[in-house]
Amino acid sequence: MQVIKYAFQQHGDDRGMLVALEEYKDIPFEIKRVYYMYDTKKDVHRGFNAHKSLEQILICIHGSCKVLLDNGTEKKIVSLEKPYEGLYIANNMWREMYDFSEDAVLMVLASEYYKEEDYIRDYNEFLRMVGVEK
Ligand code: T46
């Protein structure tokens, strides 16, 4: 499984750092939605879903967390701990986020508006969708 992690361009000077993200330039899709999670409680795991068509980029803009990616046959764990790194998650990919630091702010750029119909929240349904019998 190929993990796509972007290292965004950092604009730094003696005042500090800045990252700018433009759709189709830094982000490979039109950004229709931005959401972020914070104050995630200790030992909490979030996600446990895949998407039929949604593409997303996860950026831990403060603190750190881990993301488990699962394409049905292979799993990979990715650490997000830098505000200039973005993890691309394509459709048809199961994801779980965990190990959030107390100060973690995980921001997500999404290619579609929020649509519950796009979610696959049942792991066996996900396996069937990606062609792995269960
Ligand atoms: C994903 C991972 C990375 C909304 O009303 N609008 C939204 O855009 C989102 C994302 C959520 N919500 C509501 C729905 C739930 O009542 O916020 C609540 C928490 O959402 P959820 O339990 O789906 O959050 P996570 O952290 O488990 O998963 C989220 C995304 O939903 C999911 O698409 O890929 O982050």
Side-chain angles (χ1 to χ4, degrees):
M1 183 203 306
Q2 198 201 356
V3 171
I4 301 176
K5 206 175 182 190
Y6 292 96
F8 302 121
Q9 189 184 354
Q10 300 174 75
H11 304 272
D13 57 30
D14 51 9
R15 298 169 299 172
M17 305 304 291
L18 184 152
V19 170
L21 302 174
E22 296 186 11
E23 59 192 12
Y24 296 128
K25 194 168 149 208
D26 309 283
I27 304 299
F29 50 75
E30 183 186 357
I31 301 164
K32 291 226 178 106
R33 179 165 52 106
V34 177
Y35 61 93
Y36 47 92
M37 52 203 85
Y38 56 96
D39 276 354
T40 307
K41 304 290 175 269
K42 200 171 157 35
D43 299 328
V44 157
H45 288 227
R46 305 190 64 126
F48 295 96
N49 69 278
H51 283 279
K52 292 174 192 161
S53 61
L54 185 72
E55 296 170 80
Q56 304 195 104
I57 290 199
L58 276 58
I59 307 169
C60 201
I61 54 174
H62 197 256
S64 62
C65 70
K66 290 197 175 71
V67 184
L68 172 98
L69 296 176
D70 177 353
N71 65 7
T73 49
E74 214 185 323
K75 295 180 191 195
K76 284 253 166 87
I77 292 170
V78 182
S79 289
L80 291 178
E81 51 204 18
K82 302 205 167 69
Y84 56 84
E85 283 183 347
L87 173 66
Y88 174 77
I89 308 186
N91 61 332
N92 295 343
M93 181 74 76
W94 190 263
R95 83 287 316 264
E96 295 170 20
M97 301 86 74
Y98 63 100
D99 218 5
F100 287 85
S101 62
E102 234 177 76
D103 57 351
V105 181
L106 180 62
M107 182 175 79
V108 182
L109 310 179
S111 65
E112 300 292 339
Y113 299 118
Y114 180 68
K115 257 189 282 162
E116 189 54 42
E117 314 85 80
D118 192 65
Y119 279 76
I120 298 155
R121 294 189 185 274
D122 179 88
Y123 189 68
N124 289 333
E125 187 190 337
F126 164 69
L127 290 180
R128 283 194 294 277
M129 194 184 67
V130 293
V132 180
E133 289 304 310
K134 203 64 195 278

mmCIF file of all heavy atoms in Angstrom, residues 33-35 37 45-49 51 54 56 58 89 95 97 106 108 113-114 116 119 121, ligand 1:
data_model
loop_
_atom_site.group_PDB
_atom_site.id
_atom_site.type_symbol
_atom_site.label_atom_id
_atom_site.label_comp_id
_atom_site.label_asym_id
_atom_site.label_seq_id
_atom_site.Cartn_x
_atom_site.Cartn_y
_atom_site.Cartn_z
ATOM 1 N N ARG A 33 -14.822 21.294 2.048
ATOM 2 C CA ARG A 33 -15.151 21.292 3.482
ATOM 3 C C ARG A 33 -13.870 21.215 4.288
ATOM 4 O O ARG A 33 -12.903 20.555 3.875
ATOM 5 C CB ARG A 33 -16.035 20.075 3.769
ATOM 6 C CG ARG A 33 -16.462 19.874 5.195
ATOM 7 C CD ARG A 33 -17.628 18.865 5.255
ATOM 8 N NE ARG A 33 -17.317 17.644 4.543
ATOM 9 C CZ ARG A 33 -17.022 16.471 5.113
ATOM 10 N NH1 ARG A 33 -17.045 16.332 6.414
ATOM 11 N NH2 ARG A 33 -16.731 15.415 4.380
ATOM 12 N N VAL A 34 -13.881 21.904 5.415
ATOM 13 C CA VAL A 34 -12.763 21.824 6.372
ATOM 14 C C VAL A 34 -13.378 21.542 7.734
ATOM 15 O O VAL A 34 -14.361 22.173 8.106
ATOM 16 C CB VAL A 34 -11.980 23.153 6.431
ATOM 17 C CG1 VAL A 34 -10.876 23.087 7.481
ATOM 18 C CG2 VAL A 34 -11.401 23.515 5.072
ATOM 19 N N TYR A 35 -12.835 20.568 8.429
ATOM 20 C CA TYR A 35 -13.278 20.354 9.808
ATOM 21 C C TYR A 35 -12.050 19.995 10.645
ATOM 22 O O TYR A 35 -10.993 19.663 10.099
ATOM 23 C CB TYR A 35 -14.365 19.282 9.915
ATOM 24 C CG TYR A 35 -13.998 17.895 9.446
ATOM 25 C CD1 TYR A 35 -13.500 16.941 10.333
ATOM 26 C CD2 TYR A 35 -14.165 17.519 8.122
ATOM 27 C CE1 TYR A 35 -13.188 15.654 9.912
ATOM 28 C CE2 TYR A 35 -13.848 16.238 7.690
ATOM 29 C CZ TYR A 35 -13.368 15.320 8.584
ATOM 30 O OH TYR A 35 -13.044 14.057 8.148
ATOM 31 N N MET A 37 -10.727 18.438 14.704
ATOM 32 C CA MET A 37 -11.067 17.873 16.010
ATOM 33 C C MET A 37 -9.987 18.246 17.022
ATOM 34 O O MET A 37 -8.799 18.307 16.682
ATOM 35 C CB MET A 37 -11.291 16.371 15.926
ATOM 36 C CG MET A 37 -10.199 15.594 15.284
ATOM 37 S SD MET A 37 -10.766 14.017 14.618
ATOM 38 C CE MET A 37 -11.391 14.443 13.022
ATOM 39 N N HIS A 45 -10.213 6.358 20.236
ATOM 40 C CA HIS A 45 -9.991 6.066 18.824
ATOM 41 C C HIS A 45 -11.169 6.636 18.055
ATOM 42 O O HIS A 45 -12.319 6.458 18.470
ATOM 43 C CB HIS A 45 -9.908 4.561 18.576
ATOM 44 C CG HIS A 45 -8.644 3.938 19.083
ATOM 45 N ND1 HIS A 45 -7.896 3.062 18.338
ATOM 46 C CD2 HIS A 45 -7.997 4.085 20.278
ATOM 47 C CE1 HIS A 45 -6.836 2.690 19.036
ATOM 48 N NE2 HIS A 45 -6.882 3.280 20.228
ATOM 49 N N ARG A 46 -10.903 7.328 16.966
ATOM 50 C CA ARG A 46 -11.973 7.927 16.164
ATOM 51 C C ARG A 46 -11.920 7.355 14.748
ATOM 52 O O ARG A 46 -10.972 6.653 14.399
ATOM 53 C CB ARG A 46 -11.819 9.448 16.085
ATOM 54 C CG ARG A 46 -11.744 10.155 17.409
ATOM 55 C CD ARG A 46 -11.847 11.650 17.219
ATOM 56 N NE ARG A 46 -13.134 12.028 16.664
ATOM 57 C CZ ARG A 46 -13.956 12.923 17.202
ATOM 58 N NH1 ARG A 46 -13.614 13.555 18.295
ATOM 59 N NH2 ARG A 46 -15.110 13.207 16.635
ATOM 60 N N GLY A 47 -12.892 7.726 13.958
ATOM 61 C CA GLY A 47 -12.923 7.255 12.585
ATOM 62 C C GLY A 47 -13.691 5.954 12.499
ATOM 63 O O GLY A 47 -14.898 5.935 12.664
ATOM 64 N N PHE A 48 -13.006 4.835 12.259
ATOM 65 C CA PHE A 48 -13.639 3.533 12.053
ATOM 66 C C PHE A 48 -14.629 3.630 10.898
ATOM 67 O O PHE A 48 -15.798 3.274 11.039
ATOM 68 C CB PHE A 48 -14.352 3.037 13.330
ATOM 69 C CG PHE A 48 -13.426 2.761 14.464
ATOM 70 C CD1 PHE A 48 -13.208 3.711 15.443
ATOM 71 C CD2 PHE A 48 -12.750 1.549 14.542
ATOM 72 C CE1 PHE A 48 -12.339 3.472 16.497
ATOM 73 C CE2 PHE A 48 -11.878 1.292 15.594
ATOM 74 C CZ PHE A 48 -11.670 2.260 16.573
ATOM 75 N N ASN A 49 -14.148 4.153 9.804
ATOM 76 C CA ASN A 49 -15.012 4.277 8.626
ATOM 77 C C ASN A 49 -14.159 4.346 7.356
ATOM 78 O O ASN A 49 -12.953 4.586 7.417
ATOM 79 C CB ASN A 49 -15.900 5.532 8.735
ATOM 80 C CG ASN A 49 -15.099 6.819 8.622
ATOM 81 O OD1 ASN A 49 -14.510 7.282 9.579
ATOM 82 N ND2 ASN A 49 -15.075 7.395 7.426
ATOM 83 N N HIS A 51 -14.846 5.782 3.036
ATOM 84 C CA HIS A 51 -15.762 6.607 2.248
ATOM 85 C C HIS A 51 -15.857 6.059 0.836
ATOM 86 O O HIS A 51 -14.857 5.604 0.277
ATOM 87 C CB HIS A 51 -15.278 8.056 2.211
ATOM 88 C CG HIS A 51 -15.565 8.788 3.475
ATOM 89 N ND1 HIS A 51 -16.802 9.321 3.745
ATOM 90 C CD2 HIS A 51 -14.799 9.042 4.554
ATOM 91 C CE1 HIS A 51 -16.771 9.900 4.939
ATOM 92 N NE2 HIS A 51 -15.567 9.737 5.457
ATOM 93 N N LEU A 54 -15.300 10.107 -1.062
ATOM 94 C CA LEU A 54 -14.589 11.249 -0.451
ATOM 95 C C LEU A 54 -13.066 11.059 -0.432
ATOM 96 O O LEU A 54 -12.576 9.986 -0.104
ATOM 97 C CB LEU A 54 -15.091 11.425 0.985
ATOM 98 C CG LEU A 54 -14.564 12.637 1.749
ATOM 99 C CD1 LEU A 54 -15.189 13.919 1.216
ATOM 100 C CD2 LEU A 54 -14.849 12.501 3.239
ATOM 101 N N GLN A 56 -9.577 12.972 1.271
ATOM 102 C CA GLN A 56 -9.285 13.904 2.352
ATOM 103 C C GLN A 56 -7.774 14.051 2.557
ATOM 104 O O GLN A 56 -7.005 13.165 2.209
ATOM 105 C CB GLN A 56 -9.902 13.402 3.660
ATOM 106 C CG GLN A 56 -11.397 13.148 3.572
ATOM 107 C CD GLN A 56 -12.047 12.997 4.929
ATOM 108 O OE1 GLN A 56 -12.709 13.911 5.390
ATOM 109 N NE2 GLN A 56 -11.860 11.875 5.569
ATOM 110 N N LEU A 58 -5.380 14.903 5.916
ATOM 111 C CA LEU A 58 -5.358 15.106 7.363
ATOM 112 C C LEU A 58 -4.062 15.824 7.744
ATOM 113 O O LEU A 58 -2.970 15.379 7.341
ATOM 114 C CB LEU A 58 -5.400 13.763 8.092
ATOM 115 C CG LEU A 58 -6.777 13.111 8.313
ATOM 116 C CD1 LEU A 58 -7.502 12.882 7.001
ATOM 117 C CD2 LEU A 58 -6.651 11.804 9.071
ATOM 118 N N ILE A 89 -5.816 10.652 2.121
ATOM 119 C CA ILE A 89 -6.586 9.402 2.248
ATOM 120 C C ILE A 89 -7.602 9.364 1.112
ATOM 121 O O ILE A 89 -8.493 10.221 1.022
ATOM 122 C CB ILE A 89 -7.303 9.266 3.608
ATOM 123 C CG1 ILE A 89 -6.328 9.473 4.768
ATOM 124 C CG2 ILE A 89 -7.961 7.896 3.711
ATOM 125 C CD1 ILE A 89 -6.934 9.218 6.145
ATOM 126 N N ARG A 95 -10.030 3.944 7.941
ATOM 127 C CA ARG A 95 -9.103 4.727 8.752
ATOM 128 C C ARG A 95 -9.538 4.773 10.211
ATOM 129 O O ARG A 95 -10.729 4.784 10.529
ATOM 130 C CB ARG A 95 -8.920 6.141 8.201
ATOM 131 C CG ARG A 95 -9.953 7.223 8.555
ATOM 132 C CD ARG A 95 -11.285 7.063 7.857
ATOM 133 N NE ARG A 95 -11.176 6.745 6.452
ATOM 134 C CZ ARG A 95 -11.239 7.642 5.481
ATOM 135 N NH1 ARG A 95 -11.407 8.899 5.779
ATOM 136 N NH2 ARG A 95 -11.203 7.265 4.218
ATOM 137 N N MET A 97 -8.126 6.928 13.800
ATOM 138 C CA MET A 97 -7.175 7.902 14.358
ATOM 139 C C MET A 97 -7.099 7.653 15.866
ATOM 140 O O MET A 97 -8.128 7.440 16.512
ATOM 141 C CB MET A 97 -7.652 9.345 14.110
ATOM 142 C CG MET A 97 -7.843 9.708 12.641
ATOM 143 S SD MET A 97 -9.456 9.265 12.043
ATOM 144 C CE MET A 97 -10.485 10.513 12.789
ATOM 145 N N LEU A 106 -6.436 18.135 14.937
ATOM 146 C CA LEU A 106 -6.347 17.432 13.657
ATOM 147 C C LEU A 106 -7.319 18.080 12.681
ATOM 148 O O LEU A 106 -8.538 18.028 12.867
ATOM 149 C CB LEU A 106 -6.676 15.941 13.836
ATOM 150 C CG LEU A 106 -6.628 15.096 12.566
ATOM 151 C CD1 LEU A 106 -5.223 15.079 11.949
ATOM 152 C CD2 LEU A 106 -7.093 13.667 12.856
ATOM 153 N N VAL A 108 -8.900 18.528 8.844
ATOM 154 C CA VAL A 108 -9.146 17.694 7.669
ATOM 155 C C VAL A 108 -9.689 18.552 6.528
ATOM 156 O O VAL A 108 -10.641 19.315 6.718
ATOM 157 C CB VAL A 108 -10.151 16.561 8.003
ATOM 158 C CG1 VAL A 108 -10.359 15.660 6.790
ATOM 159 C CG2 VAL A 108 -9.673 15.744 9.198
ATOM 160 N N TYR A 113 -18.895 17.846 0.409
ATOM 161 C CA TYR A 113 -19.680 18.275 1.561
ATOM 162 C C TYR A 113 -20.000 17.050 2.413
ATOM 163 O O TYR A 113 -19.886 15.916 1.955
ATOM 164 C CB TYR A 113 -20.968 18.967 1.106
ATOM 165 C CG TYR A 113 -20.701 20.197 0.286
ATOM 166 C CD1 TYR A 113 -21.122 20.286 -1.036
ATOM 167 C CD2 TYR A 113 -19.988 21.274 0.827
ATOM 168 C CE1 TYR A 113 -20.846 21.412 -1.799
ATOM 169 C CE2 TYR A 113 -19.712 22.397 0.067
ATOM 170 C CZ TYR A 113 -20.144 22.466 -1.242
ATOM 171 O OH TYR A 113 -19.853 23.567 -1.985
ATOM 172 N N TYR A 114 -20.441 17.278 3.632
ATOM 173 C CA TYR A 114 -20.768 16.177 4.547
ATOM 174 C C TYR A 114 -21.997 15.419 4.047
ATOM 175 O O TYR A 114 -23.051 16.007 3.831
ATOM 176 C CB TYR A 114 -21.040 16.749 5.934
ATOM 177 C CG TYR A 114 -21.399 15.699 6.957
ATOM 178 C CD1 TYR A 114 -20.463 14.789 7.385
ATOM 179 C CD2 TYR A 114 -22.687 15.627 7.476
ATOM 180 C CE1 TYR A 114 -20.779 13.812 8.316
ATOM 181 C CE2 TYR A 114 -23.020 14.662 8.414
ATOM 182 C CZ TYR A 114 -22.061 13.766 8.829
ATOM 183 O OH TYR A 114 -22.381 12.808 9.743
ATOM 184 N N GLU A 116 -23.781 11.650 4.894
ATOM 185 C CA GLU A 116 -23.743 10.385 5.642
ATOM 186 C C GLU A 116 -23.796 9.184 4.673
ATOM 187 O O GLU A 116 -23.203 8.137 4.946
ATOM 188 C CB GLU A 116 -24.896 10.349 6.655
ATOM 189 C CG GLU A 116 -24.873 9.194 7.646
ATOM 190 C CD GLU A 116 -23.564 9.018 8.453
ATOM 191 O OE1 GLU A 116 -22.985 10.027 8.908
ATOM 192 O OE2 GLU A 116 -23.126 7.852 8.610
ATOM 193 N N TYR A 119 -20.568 7.366 3.784
ATOM 194 C CA TYR A 119 -19.809 6.639 4.807
ATOM 195 C C TYR A 119 -20.037 5.137 4.702
ATOM 196 O O TYR A 119 -21.143 4.677 4.454
ATOM 197 C CB TYR A 119 -20.269 7.057 6.204
ATOM 198 C CG TYR A 119 -19.673 8.351 6.708
ATOM 199 C CD1 TYR A 119 -20.110 9.574 6.235
ATOM 200 C CD2 TYR A 119 -18.685 8.345 7.689
ATOM 201 C CE1 TYR A 119 -19.588 10.756 6.712
ATOM 202 C CE2 TYR A 119 -18.145 9.533 8.178
ATOM 203 C CZ TYR A 119 -18.606 10.736 7.681
ATOM 204 O OH TYR A 119 -18.073 11.908 8.161
ATOM 205 N N ARG A 121 -19.478 2.448 7.555
ATOM 206 C CA ARG A 121 -19.095 2.366 8.967
ATOM 207 C C ARG A 121 -19.009 0.923 9.460
ATOM 208 O O ARG A 121 -18.656 0.681 10.603
ATOM 209 C CB ARG A 121 -20.094 3.163 9.824
ATOM 210 C CG ARG A 121 -20.050 4.674 9.538
ATOM 211 C CD ARG A 121 -20.869 5.431 10.547
ATOM 212 N NE ARG A 121 -20.963 6.856 10.286
ATOM 213 C CZ ARG A 121 -20.079 7.767 10.688
ATOM 214 N NH1 ARG A 121 -19.014 7.388 11.371
ATOM 215 N NH2 ARG A 121 -20.265 9.037 10.407
HETATM 216 C C1 T46 B 1 -13.153 10.803 8.650
HETATM 217 C C2 T46 B 1 -12.328 11.067 9.849
HETATM 218 C C3 T46 B 1 -10.897 11.404 9.490
HETATM 219 C C4 T46 B 1 -20.693 16.912 10.829
HETATM 220 O O1 T46 B 1 -21.804 17.387 11.158
HETATM 221 N N1 T46 B 1 -20.053 17.397 9.730
HETATM 222 C C5 T46 B 1 -18.850 16.918 9.323
HETATM 223 O O2 T46 B 1 -18.313 17.400 8.318
HETATM 224 C C6 T46 B 1 -18.233 15.873 10.090
HETATM 225 C C7 T46 B 1 -16.896 15.294 9.669
HETATM 226 C C8 T46 B 1 -18.894 15.392 11.187
HETATM 227 N N2 T46 B 1 -20.102 15.913 11.545
HETATM 228 C C9 T46 B 1 -20.740 15.405 12.768
HETATM 229 C C10 T46 B 1 -21.237 13.974 12.666
HETATM 230 C C11 T46 B 1 -21.083 13.462 14.082
HETATM 231 O O3 T46 B 1 -22.250 13.778 14.814
HETATM 232 O O4 T46 B 1 -19.793 15.420 13.820
HETATM 233 C C12 T46 B 1 -19.940 14.291 14.647
HETATM 234 C C13 T46 B 1 -18.632 13.518 14.765
HETATM 235 O O5 T46 B 1 -18.332 12.923 13.486
HETATM 236 P P1 T46 B 1 -17.648 11.490 13.359
HETATM 237 O O6 T46 B 1 -18.061 10.630 14.463
HETATM 238 O O7 T46 B 1 -17.921 10.979 11.962
HETATM 239 O O8 T46 B 1 -16.104 11.874 13.498
HETATM 240 P P2 T46 B 1 -14.808 10.959 13.379
HETATM 241 O O9 T46 B 1 -13.700 11.710 13.998
HETATM 242 O O10 T46 B 1 -15.049 9.577 13.847
HETATM 243 O O11 T46 B 1 -14.528 10.863 11.775
HETATM 244 C C14 T46 B 1 -14.225 12.023 11.038
HETATM 245 C C15 T46 B 1 -15.018 12.051 9.724
HETATM 246 O O12 T46 B 1 -16.413 11.924 10.006
HETATM 247 C C16 T46 B 1 -14.614 10.972 8.761
HETATM 248 O O13 T46 B 1 -15.148 11.275 7.486
HETATM 249 O O14 T46 B 1 -12.667 10.323 7.645
HETATM 250 O O15 T46 B 1 -12.836 12.081 10.716
#
